[in-house]
Amino acid sequence: MSQRYTIRLTVNGEKIERDVEPRLLLSDFLRHELRLTGTHVGCEHGSCGACTILLDGQAVRSCIMFAVQADGHALTTIEGVAPDWTASSGPEAMHPVQIAFWEKHGLQCGYCTPGFIMTLIPFLEENPHPSDEEIIQAISGNICRCTGYQNIVAAVRRAAELMG
Amino acid sequence: MKPAPFQYFAPVTVDDALALLAEHGYDAKLLAGGQSLVPTMNFRLSQPGVLVDLNKIADLAYIRADSDGTLRIGAMTRQSTVERDPLTARHAPLLAEAMPHIAHRQIRNRGTIGGSLAHADPAAELPAIMVTLNARFVIQGAGRRREVAARDFFQALFMTDLAPDEILTEIIIPPMPPGSGWAMDEIARRHGDYALVGAAALVTMPEGDLCADATLTFLSVGETPVVATLACAYLCGARIDDACIAEAARMAGQEDMDPPGDIHASVAYRRKLAQVLARRVLTRAFQRAKDGVV
Amino acid sequence: MTTQLFGQPIKRNEDPRLLTGQALFTDDVKLPDMLYAAFVRSDFAHARILSIDVSGALEMPGVVAVYTAEDLGAYWQPGPLLVPPPPVPDLVFNPRMQVPLAKDKVRHVGEPIAVVVAESRYQAEDAAEQVFVEFDPLPAIVELEDALLEDAPLIHEDLDANLNAHVVQHKGDYAQAAAQARLIVKRRFLYDRGIAAAMENRGVVAAWDARAERLTMWDTTQAPVVIRNGIAAMLGLSEMQVRVIAPFIGGGFGPKIMMFYPEEVLMPWISMRLNRPVKWIEDRQENFFATTQERGQIHESEIAVAEDGRVLGVKDVFLHDAGAYAPYGLTVALNSQCTLLGQYDVPHYHTEFRSVFTNKPIVTPYRGAGRQHGVFVMERLLDLAAKELGMDRVEIRRRNLISPEKFPYNNEIIYQDFAPLVYDSGNYGPALDKALELIGYRRFIDEEQPRLRAEGRYVGLGLVTYVEGTGIGPYEGAKVTVETSGRVSVASGIGTQGQGHFTSFAQIVADQLGVGVGDVRLVTGDTAEFYWGAGTFASRGAVVAGNAINAAALAVRKKILQKASEELEIDQEDLELADGAVRVKGVPASAIKLGDLAARANPTRGAVKPGTEPGLEATDYFGPERGATASGVHAMIVEVDPETMLIDIRRYVVVHDCGRVINPMILEGQIHGGVAQGIGNAFYEQLVWDKNGQLLNASFMDYLLPTADVMPVIETDHMETPSPLNPLGIKGAGEAGAIPVGPLFAQALEDALSPLGVEILEIPLSPNRLFELVNDA
């Protein structure tokens, strides 16, 4: 019964080929097969946004896609947004969105944070000067239980400055 | 919350997909954007034996306009593509207005227009919009092709006119007649939630303030998109003013529907919201018609 | 010391790891040969288990084992009572605790019945569907008031009623107050259930190493030390053989302080039995049943008021929903009792509750932990009394505030820490004034609201006060070590779930030792790093662990000065600590780097004076005699669409006093998040059960957590009335934001809708509920 399916894809710039069971969720594939555990799982029904990644540059929810569906596509996870960052490189090597979250205290427990960042990178690339209303709408599909969002909105404004 | 096992196929042509449906019959389920299907599979509320993934059929993703302004959208076109394509705004501005109400960007980046229609969730925006726009759907089966009107497509809760061996392949949206006005609005607890109630209006008022035609459709008030027939009949031929709109809205909320009550909204509250929304969308739609935007 | 770091909005040390996806959460742990568990849970709220058939599940691919209660043998034991009852006279207390797997009977939907262990979680879930349980359904107790009916079905059949506890406490004599009152207002108040919904669900990874005879456990707990001690005792291991790690935790909010959840008890046992690591990660659906919840209470309350608005007394009798089991004692209900009187000087108080068992998931503290209910009742009673007396709602509050000279103020009843409820310090009047000024109270009432009403708009203002009992004992401890690199490591036994401990605690240490915040590395939540501790709960982390860390850092500072004094042959008074070094005041060139001093304090050859302790290290503890009482005022202006009952929060103001502030940026974040949870509780989140005890909205599609678009901008201001109960003068702040939001909404919405004449006596609300209330009015 356990059909396997070969997929070829690019993850954070690296070409990958794997055999997977068709039902394997993309979030589980990234976290447990590729060990990219920065993509977090909050609800597994597409409602909280914690598992957001980029599929060909567009934000999607990896918990409601199957890994087989990523075949032939290019994915970016939180581990891929600041390739130069290492534990010893200092925070300056992070992506501007990450730096802005740090500066504006846009995270507390940090569990939802990668999903926010992955939602915001394409948003800010498309909308370099967003209004507060646009920011709020852009993040309304991501749930944060710690911050009340106020500092996240401030972080997005700051990120727009840093990227602009 | 992990899905049950299934066999997976990713055909690259519609014919191959139809052949797979013919082979696996009721065991098979089509996977389009998956934004509704995969959550129900994760809850194990849905356990299809076979998934036929349509995402590799490149031929099903397109938006084109005919010379007469008829808009043709491939069923596997992503909702965010429909949202952003200038052809949508030009030829189906009501659809363009509705798109941002559908869930969130991450969902629309993956969700498809055909997937949402075939899923036939009465709380979803697209079915009500297609009914309002008098759209037609192209349906393909093995060796056959047929068209069905959106109004006849939605039959009951999550039930459509599609047979198990058929695929919805194209959505055809006719051009709006001159003097048309449109509006869509909905009431949801949070941005992107399924609406408590939603309403869409398309009206024609070619001259003065005399309504030539009106379609008013609701979502989340029944098992399918609900057309407010009495209200529409009342509006047709009527001279449009605030009192007329208010009366049509009252008829829509009180007489044209038999909405369900649930944990989010009682029957009476839904009727009230429907009435308020009807007034809002009709007012905007007639104003647009008067302004002669189309 | 050059610049004091205490009080500065320092950016957080822990953030780069979290922002780049490198921080370790429990579900990130993957070990060779690891197995995965899934649970078979009850579909019924109340039923007898007639039989369990696991044979089909055992045949499923990848399945290694399936266990039921029978298989656990002597390991099957109800969990411990975590909090004993308070020393209150005539108290009735019938504790009944959860079991690892249901044996004869299930008492709530989602109660675990069997656990399947397989090579993958997918396979474990496949097999769990093949476990067949035959139930004999029993009538379920869902409504609180049904629990104590004469003919109510018994949830625990060894009891003669569904009564968990009955507690009566007094201050003064309410009958006397009632006799003297000009006015008595009586109402029935409802406060319904919600969930904490941390974004990270719970999870446990247990790994038994047979060769080393050691058990390692990663657990999303707020109390790793207590978990270690309990698990070691249950498994017959020494505490030294068990290491519990609470790594980064994706939000706690209380339910993760509940201890010895069934899954927490079973994973280590399974790992030892199978000699393989095993992981269980709760999924979101399970979280709605398997993680504890809070908030169900029904109050019958009255307030006795004099002509001038002075409150003579309050009587409050309430039912508290304990859920199916009550392992956490009476903490939540006691908090309701002890928070009700709030900032007000009330001479007479009769408070009485019955905690009842229901066929719903277990209730343990969730952010606010019962305080909400008390504040809701008192603030509503004041509003109603003011209305009847024709008095301004602010005036009635101001007249009853405890005046500053009355501190410490004794409310005479017993608090959750079993000490008498004595407020340590407070200065309530100025905070109220500040809130009035910020929200523009007079102008709104006198000018704006009449103008808006004339325009047909429904805009209202709310303003409520509250206290928050924080920083209770018993104690926490810490070890501070200066390493030869010059970096400072700090270990404490508490867990951390996003509160910024890695930074605020580093600020305390950095000030004492003259190093940078970034040079202080904190380890929390790893029992291998620090042996003692109680946990992170009751807004106590900063107060109790913060002061323990301060004490340990102070001891290290003394060691540094002593050692440097010897090395430099100079009096300690002439030395200072700055820039990572100790130096002679005014002579920067004389500095010895702390790392070098640490090396000198740890000689590896030669002789030392007898009694010398190596290194620059100290361990110390802090335990307050009782909790510190924080306070605050919330105010908001809200507009209601009278047709749709949708709301728009136009202003939201918080004036907060939690004593001295370590890091104002982190504090504001705590308040923002608390308010967001309060708003969820007040207007979006509600668990809906049918009469059979089935939860009707167990998903994030139907259980509405606040999203960015429903949150107002929160304007904050701070007062600093230090606590005399700890050297740093701090009070806790974790729950403050969430506590008063219910009564604030009730008052503001009632005000907005006052032309329609509604009275709001319940939380949560919703547009649908407002529509009903308006139609009924």
Side-chain angles (χ1 to χ4, degrees), chain C residues 39-111:
Chain C
F39 281 83
V40 177
R41 297 182 181 277
S42 175
D43 295 325
F44 290 93
H46 198 193
R48 273 181 226 297
I49 297 173
L50 301 179
S51 66
I52 306 171
D53 178 3
V54 303
S55 56
L58 284 166
E59 300 298 310
M60 293 290 287
V63 171
V64 174
V66 182
Y67 300 111
T68 66
E70 290 300 316
D71 299 308
L72 298 180
Y75 193 66
W76 188 95
Q77 291 289 335
L81 175 66
L82 298 170
V83 186
V88 171
D90 302 324
L91 172 134
V92 177
F93 186 55
N94 301 311
R96 288 296 177 276
M97 272 66 76
Q98 77 288 350
V99 296
L101 292 169
K103 201 176 247 176
D104 307 316
K105 192 175 169 182
V106 288
R107 296 180 175 86
H108 69 84
V109 170
E111 185 167 2

Side-chain angles (χ1 to χ4, degrees), chain B residues 17-46:
Chain B
L18 289 169
L20 285 161
L21 287 184
E23 184 185 341
H24 296 284
Y26 282 98
D27 273 354
K29 186 130 184 94
L30 294 173
L31 173 61
Q35 304 298 284
S36 297
L37 176 61
V38 182
T40 59
M41 290 177 69
N42 288 358
F43 280 115
R44 296 199 177 214
L45 297 171
S46 171

